[in-house]
Amino acid sequence: MRRATPDPMIEARRRGPIPKDVDPTIEVLVNDIIAKVADKWTMLILEALDEHGTLRFTQLGKAVGRISQKMLTQTVRQMERDGLVRRTVHPVIPPHVDYKLTPLGESLGAAFCGVWIWAETHHAEIERARRAFAAAGEASDVSACIETP
């Protein structure tokens, strides 16, 4: 994912005071968007379109890799519904359909870029923590198997 220029409006709000009340509508929307962004296909499609620009359906499938036609169709339809992708059907035989990120989709990619940078920055720490956790788990598994008289 390429590094994006931070949105000044978002950065100003992020650095500002935390709101006292949370709008329940916004909370539902945030939870919905997080669930979709956590979906690997959405992020891979977002990345492919960000990297390649406009792609035809088959090109998009190849760029994402190992995605079924059904899953690709479902995911781009959901992204289109959310305003992240623009689908253009060209009136030719056979049908020609293009997909392109909307400005909203590009801004989501920019937001995800921060998560990518965070993971890149803390990769070694996370790996150390995972190894320590696994080692502690193995040690507790072994001690649970030892009988005491």
Side-chain angles (χ1 to χ4, degrees):
M1 181 120 322
R2 66 184 164 153
R3 294 178 189 253
T5 308
D7 183 317
M9 189 168 67
I10 292 173
E11 288 302 307
R13 290 202 50 207
R14 193 174 63 83
R15 288 192 173 95
I18 297 172
K20 292 179 183 173
D21 297 318
V22 175
D23 181 341
T25 306
I26 300 299
E27 186 173 14
V28 168
L29 177 62
V30 168
N31 290 333
D32 183 52
I33 295 298
I34 288 171
K36 288 177 184 156
V37 171
D39 168 2
K40 77 174 185 176
W41 298 124
T42 299
M43 289 316 306
L44 291 173
I45 291 168
L46 188 71
E47 185 175 11
L49 290 172
D50 183 55
E51 196 173 302
H52 299 288
T54 303
L55 291 174
R56 292 176 75 168
F57 185 83
T58 53
Q59 292 172 320
L60 182 56
K62 287 177 185 172
V64 170
R66 295 177 41 163
I67 184 172
S68 70
Q69 189 170 352
K70 179 182 176 183
M71 185 54 67
L72 180 59
T73 300
Q74 288 176 349
T75 307
V76 293
R77 286 292 180 150
Q78 185 62 51
M79 293 174 75
E80 182 183 11
R81 177 183 167 268
D82 290 338
L84 304 175
V85 169
R86 180 171 296 111
R87 180 177 180 261
T88 304
V89 179
H90 301 277
V92 295
I93 306 285
H96 175 115
V97 181
D98 289 335
Y99 295 90
K100 178 179 174 66
L101 285 180
T102 63
L104 187 61
E106 290 172 355
S107 70
L108 178 59
F112 182 70
C113 185
V115 175
W116 185 280
I117 292 167
W118 178 88
E120 202 173 57
T121 303
H122 298 288
H123 176 261
E125 293 171 73
I126 294 167
E127 288 302 315
R128 277 194 302 274
R130 287 177 175 176
R131 282 193 301 274
F133 182 84
E138 289 170 9
S140 67
D141 289 346
V142 169
S143 65
C145 294
I146 298 173
E147 293 183 29
T148 55

